[in-house]
Amino acid sequence: DGGITQSPKYLFRKEGQNVTLSCEQNLNHDAMYWYRQDPGQGLRLIYYSQIVNDFQKGDIAEGYSVSREKKESFPLTVTSAQKNPTAFYLCASSHLWTAFPLSGANVLTFGAGSRLTVL
Amino acid sequence: QKEVEQNSGPLSVPEGAIASLNCTYSDRGSQSFFWYRQYSGKSPELIMFIYSNGDKEDGRFTAQLNKASQYVSLLIRDSQPSDSATYLCAVNAGGYQKVTFGIGTKLQVIP
């Protein structure tokens, strides 16, 4: 079955450490996204990518980095520069809006999420 | 002004009633509007998307869009306790891939 796989599901980090969250999709989607969710808050966009080797900053990119070396993969690194990284991280993917506009192209499919806790 | 605004709730409705969830957005160029449902500790799942002014119905759910007022709503008819969740409104700007979410409205359906 097609879907998005995020790993690990739970991750604990010591202060000062970088950690990388994995996101893999087999939906043949061109666009991929990373969101962060804090308790009682909506989803805030960290980064998104529309094509291999290209990505754009979202609303809260500081302290995070991404890569898009393969269409299927969009890993997120939470660096030590991110001062408050404890959160629920969600990866999503979609078709490109330009593929078929106004026809559900950019409906997001989400992974199960990764919960990061800083010790 | 936030790009997508929702009342965080909680919105409490009795079982069998109609739940009305509202969302406003700031970018007049937005073309895609989505409602997602999120259960506690889970990832969001799509309920509906709407592009055109007016109503769009799918089972017990109706999405309503008014671009002139920059307003989108979701009606849930015959609310069930299993509908208790957080409902997230999401919007994208016209021609762009970025999808922005509101804070979500927590719905509680009381048996």
Side-chain angles (χ1 to χ4, degrees):
Chain A
D1 288 339
I4 298 181
T5 302
Q6 287 188 243
S7 62
K9 188 172 182 179
Y10 298 97
L11 184 61
F12 298 90
R13 188 193 97 171
K14 293 182 180 179
E15 287 193 23
Q17 283 183 336
N18 292 355
V19 294
T20 297
L21 307 180
S22 171
C23 179
E24 303 276 337
Q25 55 99 359
N26 60 3
L27 299 167
N28 198 32
H29 284 166
D30 287 291
M32 296 188 73
Y33 307 75
W34 275 104
Y35 289 90
R36 167 181 172 147
Q37 187 173 36
D38 295 281
Q41 306 250 349
L43 278 63
R44 292 186 290 168
L45 182 63
I46 304 173
Y47 273 97
Y48 65 104
S49 168
Q50 300 177 70
I51 193 172
V52 172
N53 293 324
D54 188 42
F55 42 83
Q56 290 76 42
K57 291 182 179 180
D59 300 315
I60 56 164
E62 185 175 351
Y64 299 97
S65 66
V66 293
S67 63
R68 187 89 186 273
E69 297 178 359
K70 298 186 303 180
K71 182 177 179 177
E72 301 78 18
S73 178
F74 192 41
L76 173 74
T77 297
V78 185
T79 75
S80 57
Q82 171 50 238
K83 297 307 178 187
N84 187 21
T86 295
F88 187 44
Y89 290 87
L90 287 158
C91 180
S93 69
S94 76
H95 290 295
L96 291 179
W97 164 261
T98 52
F100 36 102
L102 304 180
S103 299
N106 54 351
V107 168
L108 300 181
T109 299
F110 285 90
S114 294
R115 196 168 296 277
L116 173 63
T117 301
V118 173
L119 301 174
Chain B
Q1 182 184 9
K2 291 184 179 179
E3 292 184 64
V4 181
E5 299 216 40
Q6 295 182 259
N7 188 318
S8 61
L11 172 66
S12 295
V13 300
E15 184 175 354
I18 296 175
S20 178
L21 305 161
N22 305 314
C23 172
T24 59
Y25 60 95
S26 60
D27 186 347
R28 284 196 173 275
S30 298
Q31 295 191 20
S32 305
F33 307 88
F34 310 89
W35 283 101
Y36 289 84
R37 177 175 62 197
Q38 186 178 28
Y39 292 109
S40 181
K42 303 295 185 183
S43 56
E45 53 184 353
L46 180 75
I47 298 175
M48 295 184 69
F49 59 86
I50 186 168
Y51 299 115
S52 304
N53 278 328
D55 295 358
K56 179 181 180 182
E57 186 174 322
D58 184 1
R60 296 188 295 114
F61 299 95
T62 299
Q64 299 174 316
L65 176 61
N66 183 326
K67 289 186 177 181
S69 301
Q70 296 176 250
Y71 175 90
V72 58
S73 66
L74 180 70
L75 301 178
I76 306 174
R77 290 181 298 280
D78 188 23
S79 295
Q80 301 297 309
S82 58
D83 294 326
S84 297
T86 296
Y87 289 79
L88 299 162
C89 174
V91 176
N92 87 326
Y96 295 97
Q97 202 67 35
K98 181 182 178 183
V99 179
T100 300
F101 284 78
I103 193 173
T105 299
K106 185 173 183 178
L107 173 66
Q108 297 175 338
V109 180
I110 311 301

